[in-house]
Amino acid sequence: MNRREFLVAGGGSALSAIAPGIAGPAWAQEGGRSFNRDEIVARAEALAARPYQRPERVGDPFRALGYDQYRDIQFRPERAIWSDDKRGFALELLHSGFIYDTPVDVHLVENGVEVPVRYDPSLFAFGKNELPPHPGARLFSGIRLRYPINTPGYLDEVAVFQGGSYFRSVGEGQVYGVSARGLAIDTGEPQGEEFPIFRSFWIERPIIGARTATVHALLDSPRVAGAYTFHIMPGHSTLMDVDATLFARAEIGHLGLAPLTSMYLFGSMERPRFPDYRDAVHDSDTLTVAEAGGNWVVRPLANPKTLQMSAFAANDVKGFGLQQRSVRYTDFKDLEAKYELRPSIWVAPRKGWGEGVVELVEIPSDREFNDNIVAFWRPSRVLKPGAPLHYAYALRWGRPMTESALARVKETNGGLTLDRSRQLFVVDFVAPLDVETPGGRKGADYFPDEVKPNVWASAGEVANVVGYPNRATGGYRASFELDTSGVDLSELRLALKHDDAVVSETWLYRWTA
């Protein structure tokens, strides 16, 4: 695990040692409190009715820990909750310290009763650190779930909730990459971003042989409080059903639902700026949006020289996500980071979200340790006190979505024309995965001779538009030139058409001088 993976991922036990009586009927008689999701919603509403209180931070020596020192603190695997109960899942606790300096409260739920988890230093191995014990202190920073998705009987790390409202997951055979958040507020705004936090977690004890784990969380920030429920089903792709209810303390106009955060340092378009032995460095390379009318929009990510914000009309959006479409070792040539194994993440709204846009924020970065990409759905409505917002969505962590029957954008390359007078763009398409067209065409036969590229630019002059089958890949290649004389920015759009019908995803790109 490299430094960046650790920073974002968060780097059971005899259950009675943590919450006495939890394994038996005496549990409810030893200080347990009744629990259901309505309780979390009520707590969020009550929290929003009170003035915001900034959470306490851990003090030294934990706050002063460096990266390597904090990484030395590990939860003891033999103490993992439920690991010996054949419940499928095991739960581990994460220690406060380093950048994770805001403690959280953790509760276990069984038979409708919650019991708080008590901090015990013996749950952790501290490595070379010489730290004084703090029994009974608030020193948990998050939680980690394990489940055997790769090897039967081995409990793989499948989900982590740690730091602000961040959480992440993986599918079978993958390593951590893109993250999700509970909520985004004022992302990219000049006044700065407001970062909500999960203050408390409730984890329901799974049934024997469970395939699904349920986590509840209480969110808080200066202008909003909220209740979240996550139903987590690990597998080839890990699925999460998310249910959220928000209560505003003050009006919020720039609200981001289902926010996603990732890292994009460089790909083929930025390669000349980075003297690196690798061909690409990124956790995600594409923003994809499934529009209500059936069109799929694909926007290759970029590492711009200045902050860039883009909005894509998405009323009643069917889905959106940050995808890693580069899935071969040869795309990166990095044996340690294994960027080809980073998951794609897909958001599928439940019951329609109405009017809004998908926003993309691209932040300049010169280091692969920095997450510099944010995407979320921004509702048109303003969140106001007294008018709670309830919404639900599904998250899919795994391989890129392939549900579209349209030809897929596979790769984007660019440079200058031979005379170096114009920008050159080359976009490769491939046939839909596991989708056969009504005419029965698949693979190399998917693209008939009548397919033509259709190109549009908001500024500059488009020239020399060419399209032809790519015999090397069985796909289709489209290229065009753009004269950018006197132009600082141009929004580009490319789609393949057969007669008057669009037969491909719509490729979008923002060129900047």
Side-chain angles (χ1 to χ4, degrees):
M1 178 181 292
N2 65 32
R3 176 184 173 89
R4 182 180 167 280
E5 289 174 312
F6 179 79
L7 294 182
V8 187
S13 59
L15 196 49
S16 59
I18 304 176
I22 196 170
W27 175 28
Q29 300 171 7
E30 296 184 8
R33 174 178 174 177
S34 64
F35 175 88
N36 58 49
R37 187 180 187 278
D38 291 341
E39 288 280 333
I40 307 299
V41 175
R43 293 180 203 186
E45 185 174 16
L47 190 62
R50 301 193 299 268
Y52 176 71
Q53 292 187 345
R54 189 175 301 277
E56 295 182 3
R57 305 294 176 89
V58 297
D60 293 337
F62 300 104
R63 183 187 297 179
L65 294 176
Y67 166 75
D68 291 321
Q69 292 172 304
Y70 181 73
R71 190 177 180 181
D72 245 6
I73 303 176
Q74 297 291 324
F75 190 87
R76 297 183 185 276
E78 69 274 12
R79 305 291 299 277
I81 303 170
W82 307 315
S83 62
D84 297 327
D85 290 357
K86 301 183 188 297
R87 297 189 178 275
F89 290 87
L91 173 68
E92 297 180 350
L93 305 164
L94 303 174
H95 207 286
S96 293
F98 184 42
I99 62 173
Y100 303 110
D101 60 359
T102 303
V104 300
D105 296 318
V106 180
H107 308 77
L108 303 177
V109 178
E110 180 182 342
N111 298 327
V113 179
E114 67 174 73
V115 168
V117 178
R118 182 178 62 214
Y119 173 77
D120 183 344
S122 69
L123 298 172
F124 297 90
F126 291 88
K128 298 178 181 179
N129 295 303
E130 295 184 4
L131 300 171
H134 290 72
R138 294 182 67 243
L139 285 173
F140 297 134
S141 66
I143 60 174
R144 174 165 51 216
L145 285 171
R146 292 187 177 274
Y147 185 88
I149 60 172
N150 294 309
T151 303
Y154 180 80
L155 294 172
D156 301 289
E157 189 173 337
V158 296
V160 166
F161 292 77
Q162 186 185 32
S165 66
Y166 284 85
F167 59 99
R168 59 174 38 197
S169 187
V170 291
E172 179 185 350
Q174 295 186 318
V175 299
Y176 283 128
V178 63
S179 340
R181 283 193 273 166
L183 195 66
I185 300 175
D186 289 344
T187 305
E189 293 291 336
Q191 69 269 24
E193 184 169 358
E194 180 177 316
F195 285 95
I197 63 170
F198 286 138
R199 284 186 179 269
S200 302
F201 293 97
W202 291 260
I203 306 95
E204 296 188 19
R205 186 179 73 162
I207 63 173
I208 299 294
R211 293 289 308 279
T212 302
T214 299
V215 175
H216 307 272
L218 181 65
L219 178 135
D220 195 19
S221 78
R223 285 183 287 168
V224 68
Y228 284 73
T229 296
F230 303 87
H231 298 293
I232 305 167
M233 181 182 293
H236 180 69
S237 290
T238 291
L239 307 178
M240 294 186 183
D241 277 322
V242 185
D243 199 290
T245 305
L246 302 179
F247 299 91
R249 288 191 179 92
E251 183 174 298
I252 303 175
H254 195 169
L255 190 67
L257 305 188
L260 312 175
T261 302
S262 194
M263 181 276 294
Y264 182 91
L265 187 64
F266 68 88
S268 61
M269 300 295 283
E270 297 84 10
R271 183 71 179 83
R273 291 165 43 197
F274 291 88
D276 198 296
Y277 76 93
R278 297 165 293 184
D279 291 338
V281 172
H282 50 72
D283 287 341
S284 307
D285 56 19
T286 304
L287 168 69
T288 304
V289 180
E291 298 177 338
N295 187 36
W296 282 57
V297 171
V298 172
R299 167 70 146 70
L301 299 178
N303 184 355
K305 297 177 182 178
T306 59
L307 175 72
Q308 297 290 320
M309 299 184 66
S310 306
F312 308 89
N315 293 340
D316 288 321
V317 62
K318 297 303 180 185
F320 68 94
L322 292 176
Q323 300 189 335
Q324 182 76 311
R325 294 197 169 192
S326 300
V327 293
R328 303 169 301 179
Y329 162 76
T330 52
D331 293 330
F332 304 97
K333 300 185 179 71
D334 191 323
L335 288 171
E336 179 185 3
K338 300 179 180 178
Y339 288 113
E340 70 276 8
L341 301 182
R342 306 297 169 111
S344 296
I345 186 170
W346 187 253
V347 177
R350 304 294 198 199
K351 298 182 180 179
W353 282 1
E355 295 184 357
V357 298
V358 172
E359 287 199 357
L360 172 66
V361 182
E362 296 166 306
I363 304 168
S365 177
D366 60 1
R367 293 174 64 83
E368 63 193 279
F369 303 133
N370 302 326
D371 280 343
N372 63 322
I373 302 294
V374 185
F376 51 83
W377 189 80
R378 180 179 178 178
S380 295
R381 74 173 267 193
V382 173
L383 183 63
K384 298 181 178 181
L389 172 62
H390 175 77
Y391 60 101
Y393 58 99
L395 280 177
R396 177 184 181 272
W397 310 75
R399 277 64 182 172
M401 283 291 293
T402 58
E403 292 180 353
S404 168
L406 300 169
R408 297 177 300 118
V409 175
K410 179 61 176 175
E411 191 172 352
T412 300
N413 290 285
L416 296 175
T417 56
L418 290 176
D419 62 4
R420 308 185 71 82
S421 65
R422 294 182 296 276
Q423 301 291 323
L424 174 65
F425 296 89
V426 180
V427 183
D428 279 302
F429 295 82
V430 293
L433 287 179
D434 304 322
V435 175
E436 189 166 305
T437 67
R441 299 185 303 273
K442 290 192 71 173
D445 298 326
Y446 177 80
F447 301 96
D449 294 337
E450 294 83 6
V451 167
K452 302 294 181 186
N454 183 273
V455 181
W456 173 88
S458 65
E461 183 178 345
V462 173
N464 199 21
V465 179
V466 179
Y468 47 88
N470 186 334
R471 303 302 179 190
T473 64
Y476 190 92
R477 171 166 290 185
S479 65
F480 65 94
E481 299 170 5
L482 180 69
D483 186 344
T484 57
S485 301
V487 173
D488 293 325
L489 181 151
S490 182
E491 299 284 359
L492 307 175
R493 180 186 301 129
L494 164 65
L496 302 183
K497 286 191 172 183
H498 184 214
D499 296 329
D500 290 329
V502 174
V503 296
S504 73
E505 298 172 328
T506 300
W507 173 89
L508 302 178
Y509 195 80
R510 173 178 288 176
W511 176 86
T512 56

XYZ file of all heavy atoms in Angstrom, residues 289 293-297 325 402-409 429-433 435 437 446-447 496 501-506:
237
model
N -21.931 10.134 -17.782
C -23.277 10.512 -17.358
C -24.291 9.822 -18.259
O -24.206 9.937 -19.488
C -23.481 12.042 -17.421
C -24.890 12.410 -16.971
C -22.436 12.768 -16.584
N -32.743 10.678 -21.499
C -33.207 10.282 -22.826
C -32.484 9.097 -23.422
O -32.773 8.701 -24.559
N -31.536 8.502 -22.712
C -30.806 7.347 -23.221
C -29.429 7.674 -23.745
O -28.648 6.769 -24.059
N -29.098 8.970 -23.852
C -27.766 9.352 -24.314
C -26.758 9.189 -23.180
O -27.064 9.416 -22.013
C -27.776 10.807 -24.790
C -26.473 11.211 -25.443
O -25.846 10.413 -26.131
N -26.053 12.449 -25.232
N -25.542 8.756 -23.534
C -24.453 8.633 -22.565
C -23.374 9.633 -22.944
O -22.886 9.643 -24.072
C -23.880 7.215 -22.561
C -24.735 6.232 -21.818
C -26.049 5.948 -22.054
C -24.340 5.413 -20.725
N -26.504 4.996 -21.174
C -25.470 4.641 -20.344
C -23.144 5.243 -20.024
C -25.438 3.724 -19.299
C -23.105 4.328 -18.987
C -24.249 3.583 -18.621
N -23.000 10.479 -21.976
C -21.972 11.502 -22.174
C -20.696 11.051 -21.482
O -20.722 10.617 -20.327
C -22.438 12.858 -21.620
C -21.301 13.863 -21.616
C -23.614 13.388 -22.426
N -11.375 3.537 -17.151
C -11.526 2.754 -18.379
C -10.199 2.155 -18.827
O -10.184 1.274 -19.681
C -12.145 3.608 -19.473
C -13.587 4.005 -19.154
C -14.344 4.486 -20.363
N -15.764 4.614 -20.075
C -16.709 4.797 -20.994
N -16.364 4.895 -22.281
N -17.975 4.898 -20.652
N -21.318 -0.957 -18.252
C -21.385 -1.375 -19.659
C -22.831 -1.595 -20.097
O -23.096 -2.374 -20.994
C -20.590 -2.670 -19.878
O -21.117 -3.690 -19.015
C -19.116 -2.474 -19.570
N -23.779 -0.918 -19.454
C -25.183 -1.163 -19.760
C -25.651 -0.486 -21.040
O -26.712 -0.809 -21.553
C -26.051 -0.702 -18.590
C -25.868 -1.544 -17.328
C -26.742 -1.066 -16.184
O -27.376 -0.003 -16.341
O -26.789 -1.739 -15.153
N -24.913 0.456 -21.541
C -25.331 1.167 -22.742
C -25.176 0.291 -23.974
O -24.232 -0.487 -24.095
C -24.484 2.431 -22.916
O -24.668 2.983 -24.194
N -26.117 0.416 -24.914
C -26.018 -0.277 -26.199
C -25.299 0.577 -27.233
O -25.345 0.274 -28.429
C -27.416 -0.629 -26.701
N -24.636 1.624 -26.788
C -23.907 2.520 -27.679
C -22.434 2.140 -27.733
O -21.884 1.565 -26.787
C -24.027 3.964 -27.182
C -25.443 4.544 -27.094
C -25.421 5.865 -26.353
C -26.042 4.715 -28.489
N -21.781 2.466 -28.838
C -20.330 2.287 -28.935
C -19.663 3.109 -27.848
O -20.069 4.230 -27.548
C -19.835 2.718 -30.308
N -18.613 2.543 -27.223
C -17.983 3.169 -26.068
C -16.714 3.914 -26.456
O -15.951 3.450 -27.299
C -17.647 2.116 -25.015
C -18.855 1.393 -24.442
C -18.438 0.311 -23.463
N -17.584 -0.689 -24.108
C -16.335 -0.951 -23.764
N -15.765 -0.283 -22.789
N -15.647 -1.873 -24.397
N -16.502 5.049 -25.811
C -15.232 5.760 -25.958
C -14.171 4.968 -25.209
O -14.285 4.712 -24.020
C -15.322 7.181 -25.396
C -13.957 7.854 -25.440
C -16.353 7.995 -26.162
N -13.109 4.400 -30.476
C -14.330 3.799 -29.972
C -14.242 2.280 -30.088
O -13.538 1.753 -30.955
C -15.554 4.275 -30.774
C -15.861 5.740 -30.644
C -15.175 6.688 -31.401
C -16.844 6.183 -29.763
C -15.465 8.032 -31.297
C -17.134 7.527 -29.643
C -16.449 8.459 -30.413
N -14.962 1.591 -29.212
C -15.104 0.141 -29.314
C -16.574 -0.202 -29.197
O -17.388 0.584 -28.700
C -14.301 -0.609 -28.235
C -12.803 -0.439 -28.459
C -14.691 -0.150 -26.845
N -16.933 -1.404 -29.633
C -18.319 -1.846 -29.574
C -18.756 -2.011 -28.129
O -17.936 -2.205 -27.227
C -18.483 -3.161 -30.330
N -20.055 -1.939 -27.864
C -20.544 -2.164 -26.497
C -20.126 -3.543 -25.989
O -20.103 -4.516 -26.750
C -22.065 -2.063 -26.637
C -22.289 -1.339 -27.923
C -21.149 -1.682 -28.813
N -19.795 -3.636 -24.712
C -19.453 -4.927 -24.118
C -20.713 -5.743 -23.903
O -21.684 -5.258 -23.314
C -18.732 -4.728 -22.782
C -17.295 -4.229 -22.835
C -16.754 -4.082 -21.425
C -16.416 -5.167 -23.638
N -23.094 -6.487 -25.557
C -24.346 -5.970 -26.095
C -24.359 -6.191 -27.598
O -23.429 -5.816 -28.296
C -24.514 -4.463 -25.784
C -25.760 -3.923 -26.457
C -24.591 -4.252 -24.279
N -26.249 -5.400 -31.192
C -27.138 -4.407 -31.764
C -28.345 -5.091 -32.400
O -28.330 -6.291 -32.675
C -26.410 -3.607 -32.856
O -26.132 -4.473 -33.948
C -25.120 -3.032 -32.320
N -19.447 -4.239 -35.611
C -20.416 -3.298 -35.053
C -20.492 -2.014 -35.875
O -21.540 -1.385 -35.956
C -20.036 -2.963 -33.612
C -20.942 -1.939 -32.974
C -22.188 -2.305 -32.462
C -20.563 -0.598 -32.890
C -23.023 -1.366 -31.884
C -21.388 0.352 -32.314
C -22.620 -0.044 -31.811
O -23.446 0.885 -31.248
N -19.392 -1.597 -36.494
C -19.324 -0.300 -37.157
C -19.486 -0.457 -38.670
O -18.535 -0.837 -39.365
C -17.983 0.379 -36.854
C -17.746 0.590 -35.384
C -16.996 -0.317 -34.653
C -18.296 1.685 -34.737
C -16.784 -0.125 -33.300
C -18.082 1.880 -33.373
C -17.331 0.968 -32.657
N -20.556 9.489 -32.948
C -20.686 8.753 -34.203
C -22.158 8.629 -34.566
O -22.998 8.340 -33.707
C -20.074 7.354 -34.053
C -18.604 7.287 -33.635
C -18.132 5.842 -33.605
C -17.733 8.127 -34.557
N -29.079 8.712 -36.642
C -29.112 8.196 -35.275
C -27.721 8.216 -34.657
O -26.732 7.835 -35.301
C -29.678 6.783 -35.262
N -27.627 8.637 -33.405
C -26.369 8.586 -32.668
C -26.144 7.141 -32.217
O -26.997 6.537 -31.575
C -26.404 9.525 -31.441
C -25.151 9.356 -30.598
C -26.547 10.975 -31.896
N -24.988 6.578 -32.576
C -24.710 5.174 -32.265
C -23.536 5.025 -31.303
O -23.055 3.917 -31.089
C -24.441 4.367 -33.555
C -25.672 4.332 -34.438
C -23.240 4.932 -34.314
N -23.089 6.128 -30.697
C -21.962 6.062 -29.762
C -22.245 6.941 -28.556
O -23.151 7.792 -28.569
C -20.663 6.534 -30.423
O -20.676 7.952 -30.595
N -21.467 6.731 -27.511
C -21.439 7.706 -26.437
C -20.976 9.047 -27.011
O -20.257 9.096 -28.012
C -20.464 7.260 -25.347
C -20.834 5.957 -24.676
C -19.748 5.455 -23.746
O -18.553 5.706 -24.032
O -20.089 4.815 -22.735
N -21.402 10.112 -26.380
C -21.003 11.446 -26.821
C -19.745 11.862 -26.066
O -19.757 11.987 -24.843
C -22.129 12.460 -26.588
O -23.290 12.060 -27.333
C -21.696 13.853 -27.035
